[in-house]
Amino acid sequence: MNFRQDINGLRAIAVIAVVIFHFNSTLIPGGFAGVDVFFVISGFLMTSIIFRGIGNNNFSILSFYKARAIRIIPALLVLSSVTFLFCWFFLVPLKFEALGRHVLSSISFLSNITYWKESGYFDTSSQTKWLLHTWSLSVEWQFYIIYPIVLVILSKIFSLNLIKKLLVVTTILGLGLSAYASYYWPSPAYYLFPTRAWEMMAGGLVFLYPVKLNEPVKKYTNIVGFVLIICSYIFMSKADMWPGYLALIPVLGSALIIWSNKQDSLITNNKIMTTIGLWSYSIYLWHWPVVVIGHYFNIEYWTVIGIPLSILLGYMSYTFIEKNRVSLKAILLPYIIIAGISYIVISNISFFYNIPNNKFEAIVTNKAKDNNGAYTWSRLRSLNKKEQFSHDEGNKMLIIGDSQAGDFVNVMYDAGFAEKSEIISRVVEADCGFFYLTPNQQQKAFSDSPTIKDNQMWQNKCQSFIKHVDDGNVVEQANIIVLAMYWRDDNMQWILQSIENIRSKNPRAKIYVVGGKSFNRQISTLAYDAYRNNIDIGNYAVKNIAQNSKEDRAIQNKIFESKAKLINYNYTFINMTNLMCDSQKCNVIDDNGHSFYYDRRHTTRDGTKYIAKKLLENKVL
C-alpha cells in the first residue's frame, strides 16, 4: 500500500483536537473524540497489514509484534524516564509512588485498566496523573496483540470472505456493547478494550470493503467526513456518554475520509497537516505531561505556552527517537531498567526518602494501603442490601449517604452501637449532592447542581438512589436516622430540603446530621509538608480545614447548627470539626504516627476508632 498522506493529515486532525481539549476544554469541548479518530486509523492500517500478509501466506505474528514494539516503545521509554527524573525533585512520596505504578502499567500497556480502577477520565484528580493519556496506547496495544491472533486462527478455519462478514457482525455487536456499557458502566466503557475494539474494527472494515469513487464524489465524501469529525469536536462534551452510539460520528467521519482516499485534499494533504501528522504520536506522548505541569504549578496562560511547547517536544521526539529506528535488542535493556525502577518505587518508596518510620507511615497512608477504600464501603454496601428491618422492637437505625456514611457505619461498630441496634443503610453517591427529594424537587435540584445538571446519566442514577431510600419503608420504620454525606456548598438548599422531607416522612425518629470532616489537602500531604517544615501536624492541619470552592466547613457547620432546632427539621447536629479539632490543632495522627485519614475526608481504621471514642466520651449519641 502506497503511503497515504491523507491519513497523515487525519492524524493531525486527531492530535490537534486532543491537545487543545486537554489544555482548554472550553475551546473544543469534544476534542477527546480525537482518540476515536486515532483508533479508526490504527484499525485500518493494522487490518491492511494483517490481511495482506495472510492473503500472501507470509504473515508472521512475531514480526508484527516486533514492528509495533520498535515503533511505539522507544519514545514511550524516553517519556517515562524524563517524567521519572523530573518528578523526583518535587512530588510527595505518595504521588511519586503512584507515578511508579503508572509508569509500569504504561510500559506494560495495561494503564487503561489501572486508570479505570482509579477514577474517571474527566475527574479533576486526573489532571495530576502524568501518564493518564497512555490509556489509549494500552487499548491499541491490546488490539495489536489480540486481533492478529484471532484473524490467523480464523483464517485456518474460514475463507477470507467469510472472515470479512464475521468482522462486520462483530463490529456491530461491539458498538451495541459500547452503547450499553457507556450508559450503565461509563468508566470501564471509556477505558477498556472490549468497548473500544469496535472503533478499530470499523477502521478495518474501511480496508476490507473499499469503495471506488469518482473525483467529485471523493471530494464531497472527504468534506462530509471532515464535517462529522468537527461536529463531534464542537457539539460533544464530557457530559455525554462516551464512547456509546455518539462515537459513531467521529468514527464514521474518519472512515469517510479514509474511504475517499483524496490525495489532493486541502484539508488533510497540505504541508502543515501532513507534518503535524508525522509528529502526531510524539506530540500526543509529550503534550499531557506538559498539561499536568501547568496544573501542578498553576502557571498562568499555560495554554499559550504549553501547546507550542508540546509541538516542539513532539518534533524533537520524532526527529531524534522515532526516525532513528533501533533494534528490539536495543530496547530491551532500557525497558528492563525502567520497569525495575518502577517496581522499586512501588514496593519500597521509603528508599527514595530519608524520613523516620514513625513520620513516614502517615505520609504514605492512602486509599489502597491496608485496603482503606474497601474498608470504608464494605459494611455500608452490605447493609444497603437489606430490604427492611427484621423486627419491630429495639433500636432501628437507618444510615443514608455516601462514603461519609460508610465512615460513620464503621464508627457505629467501633463504638458498640451495632450490638444494640439493627442497622440498615441506603447509599446515595456523592455526585448526587442530596438524598431525599420529591420527583419535582429532583428536577429543579438537578438543574441547579454544578456536578450533574448537564449529565442525564447521573440524573438517572441519582433518581434510582433516591428511590431506593424508600425501599422496605425503612424511612418510616426507623427510630434513629443518620444522614452523612460529602456536603457541598452549592447543594445546601437541597440538602436542607432533603432533611425536611425525611422529618416530614418520620416525625418521631431521632435524626442525626453528621457534619463534614474534610481538609483542603490530603493528610498524607500535610504530614509531609509538616515534616519538611518541622512544624506540628496538628497545628498545620487546623489551618487546612476545608475552605475551598466546593465546601466551606465553618459556614456549613453554622448553617446546620442554626437549622437543627427548627420544628420542620428537629435534628441533632454532630459537629465533626469540633470533634476532631480545637482552635489550636486537629487530631489527625496518633502518638504512634498512625494516620486517622487516608485522603482529605475518609478515615482509616485508626480514625474510626478515634471518632468512636470521642463520640462516647462526649455522649453525642
Side-chain angles (χ1 to χ4, degrees):
M1 182 173 66
N2 294 329
F3 185 78
R4 294 277 301 266
Q5 288 289 359
D6 59 322
I7 291 179
N8 231 18
L10 186 57
R11 285 195 183 102
I13 292 173
V15 78
I16 289 170
V18 172
V19 170
I20 294 175
F21 171 77
H22 282 153
F23 275 97
N24 189 341
S25 60
T26 60
L27 296 176
I28 183 167
F32 53 85
V35 171
D36 304 82
V37 177
F38 275 127
F39 284 158
V40 175
I41 295 170
S42 292
F44 174 81
L45 295 174
M46 295 310 105
T47 302
S48 67
I49 293 169
I50 296 167
F51 264 83
R52 289 177 191 276
I54 292 175
N56 295 328
N57 293 316
N58 62 358
F59 180 72
S60 167
I61 290 179
L62 291 179
S63 297
F64 179 84
Y65 290 163
K66 179 181 176 181
R68 304 285 75 71
I70 291 172
R71 165 80 173 87
I72 292 171
I73 293 177
L76 180 59
L77 288 179
V78 172
L79 173 72
S80 300
S81 303
V82 172
T83 304
F84 249 148
L85 185 61
F86 179 75
C87 291
W88 186 27
F89 291 101
F90 60 86
L91 283 189
V92 300
L94 271 177
K95 294 290 186 182
F96 196 63
E97 183 184 53
L99 178 62
R101 186 169 60 253
H102 295 162
V103 168
L104 188 59
S105 65
S106 295
I107 64 174
S108 58
F109 299 104
L110 296 171
S111 63
N112 59 325
I113 299 173
T114 297
Y115 292 123
W116 156 55
K117 290 181 177 180
E118 289 184 354
S119 67
Y121 184 73
F122 301 113
D123 290 350
T124 303
S125 62
S126 69
Q127 295 170 343
T128 61
K129 295 180 180 179
W130 296 83
L131 298 176
L132 175 66
H133 62 317
T134 63
W135 75 268
S136 63
L137 300 182
S138 295
V139 171
E140 286 195 5
W141 191 260
Q142 290 157 19
F143 179 75
Y144 297 158
I145 290 174
I146 297 170
Y147 192 52
I149 294 175
V150 172
L151 291 182
V152 168
I153 292 173
L154 290 177
S155 69
K156 305 296 183 184
I157 305 171
F158 305 115
S159 67
L160 290 182
N161 282 333
L162 182 55
I163 293 173
K164 291 179 182 180
K165 294 175 183 177
L166 288 173
L167 289 178
V168 173
V169 174
T170 307
T171 303
I172 294 171
L173 291 175
L175 170 59
L177 172 64
S178 179
Y180 183 85
S182 296
Y183 186 87
Y184 290 100
W185 311 295
S187 189
Y190 193 93
Y191 281 109
L192 300 186
F193 170 77
T195 47
R196 288 291 190 168
W198 73 272
E199 299 180 57
M200 289 169 276
M201 294 174 68
L205 296 182
V206 176
F207 172 78
L208 296 176
Y209 292 94
V211 180
K212 290 186 178 180
L213 306 173
N214 58 39
E215 283 304 315
V217 175
K218 274 188 178 184
K219 176 182 177 181
Y220 291 115
T221 302
N222 188 269
I223 292 172
V224 170
F226 179 72
V227 169
L228 286 174
I229 293 173
I230 297 302
C231 284
S232 70
Y233 292 169
I234 295 173
F235 298 111
M236 299 298 107
S237 75
K238 56 189 177 183
D240 293 303
M241 290 180 291
W242 203 266
Y245 64 91
L246 290 174
L248 263 175
I249 299 172
V251 168
L252 181 58
S254 306
L256 289 176
I257 288 177
I258 298 173
W259 252 323
S260 69
N261 194 11
K262 188 164 178 58
Q263 296 306 306
D264 59 350
S265 169
L266 292 176
I267 298 171
T268 57
N269 290 58
N270 62 75
K271 183 66 175 177
I272 294 174
M273 297 297 277
T274 54
T275 301
I276 292 176
L278 278 177
W279 304 345
S280 60
Y281 172 58
S282 284
I283 291 174
Y284 182 81
L285 276 185
W286 286 94
H287 89 280
W288 180 253
V290 175
V291 171
V292 175
I293 288 172
H295 284 288
Y296 201 95
F297 295 103
N298 196 26
I299 304 174
E300 201 171 3
Y301 306 116
W302 189 237
T303 297
V304 178
I305 302 168
I307 291 178
L309 179 59
S310 300
I311 295 171
L312 175 62
L313 291 171
Y315 159 74
M316 293 172 63
S317 175
Y318 172 78
T319 303
F320 299 111
I321 302 168
E322 281 195 74
K323 283 179 69 175
N324 298 318
R325 296 292 174 90
V326 296
S327 67
L328 195 59
K329 289 182 180 180
I331 298 173
L332 188 59
L333 182 59
Y335 186 94
I336 292 172
I337 292 172
I338 294 297
I341 293 172
S342 301
Y343 180 77
I344 294 171
V345 170
I346 297 167
S347 61
N348 190 18
I349 186 64
S350 61
F351 177 81
F352 296 88
Y353 297 87
N354 184 26
I355 300 174
N357 289 337
N358 65 331
K359 300 287 186 182
F360 199 68
E361 181 176 341
I363 289 170
V364 294
T365 297
N366 64 1
K367 180 179 181 180
K369 187 180 179 184
D370 299 326
N371 292 315
N372 281 319
Y375 170 69
T376 295
W377 281 103
S378 57
R379 281 195 180 114
L380 186 72
R381 293 202 186 282
S382 176
L383 296 170
N384 187 54
K385 295 175 183 177
K386 294 180 67 173
E387 293 183 5
Q388 58 188 20
F389 291 106
S390 60
H391 56 78
D392 294 329
E393 303 299 324
N395 288 330
K396 297 186 288 294
M397 180 182 290
L398 171 64
I399 297 183
I400 303 172
D402 54 18
S403 56
Q404 295 302 298
D407 277 349
F408 207 79
V409 165
N410 291 328
V411 169
M412 292 295 94
Y413 275 81
D414 285 335
F417 287 109
E419 299 171 6
K420 307 171 186 177
S421 306
E422 182 181 3
I423 303 177
I424 286 179
S425 74
R426 289 293 181 256
V427 173
V428 181
E429 292 194 13
D431 279 340
C432 297
F434 35 81
F435 52 90
Y436 200 69
L437 299 176
T438 66
N440 288 338
Q441 289 170 347
Q442 286 177 44
Q443 292 307 313
K444 181 66 170 67
F446 290 152
S447 65
D448 290 345
S449 171
T451 53
I452 60 174
K453 62 181 178 181
D454 297 318
N455 194 321
Q456 188 61 49
M457 176 197 68
W458 260 106
Q459 291 181 26
N460 293 339
K461 289 177 71 172
C462 293
Q463 287 172 346
S464 298
F465 288 135
I466 294 171
K467 183 179 180 182
H468 178 53
V469 172
D470 270 327
D471 284 354
N473 293 320
V474 292
V475 175
E476 293 173 310
Q477 293 174 11
N479 50 33
I480 301 172
I481 300 175
V482 178
L483 309 173
M485 286 189 75
Y486 171 42
W487 312 119
R488 290 188 173 97
D489 294 351
D490 291 325
N491 296 319
M492 285 303 293
Q493 172 192 351
W494 299 109
I495 293 165
L496 293 169
Q497 183 64 62
S498 296
I499 298 172
E500 188 173 358
N501 291 348
I502 289 283
R503 172 52 72 203
S504 176
K505 188 81 175 235
N506 189 334
R508 61 182 176 77
K510 182 71 174 176
I511 297 178
Y512 294 91
V513 176
V514 182
K517 59 184 189 300
S518 49
F519 293 84
N520 286 327
R521 293 190 294 161
Q522 290 193 171
I523 296 303
S524 59
T525 304
L526 296 180
Y528 183 61
D529 288 347
Y531 170 77
R532 287 195 308 168
N533 294 297
N534 195 28
I535 57 177
D536 179 75
I537 175 61
N539 300 141
Y540 192 46
V542 77
K543 298 174 182 177
N544 280 276
I545 294 171
Q547 186 181 28
N548 51 62
S549 60
K550 293 182 178 179
E551 53 177 333
D552 188 314
R553 186 60 52 226
I555 290 176
Q556 286 186 12
N557 289 344
K558 286 181 181 178
I559 293 173
F560 280 128
E561 287 170 345
S562 68
K563 303 291 184 180
K565 300 306 179 185
L566 298 180
I567 192 168
N568 53 325
Y569 297 109
N570 189 21
Y571 59 81
T572 297
F573 177 58
I574 302 177
N575 191 322
M576 297 297 290
T577 305
N578 290 347
L579 203 70
M580 305 293 290
C581 311
D582 56 34
S583 60
Q584 299 298 317
K585 65 183 294 184
C586 288
N587 295 308
V588 292
I589 294 174
D590 68 16
D591 294 336
N592 297 315
H594 305 309
S595 180
F596 294 159
Y597 287 75
Y598 64 80
D599 56 14
R600 293 196 303 117
R601 57 182 178 269
H602 298 101
T603 44
T604 62
R605 289 164 177 80
D606 292 301
T608 58
K609 289 176 183 176
Y610 175 80
I611 294 173
K613 177 184 174 183
K614 296 293 287 186
L615 287 176
L616 292 171
E617 288 177 355
N618 291 277
K619 298 181 181 181
V620 174
L621 294 173

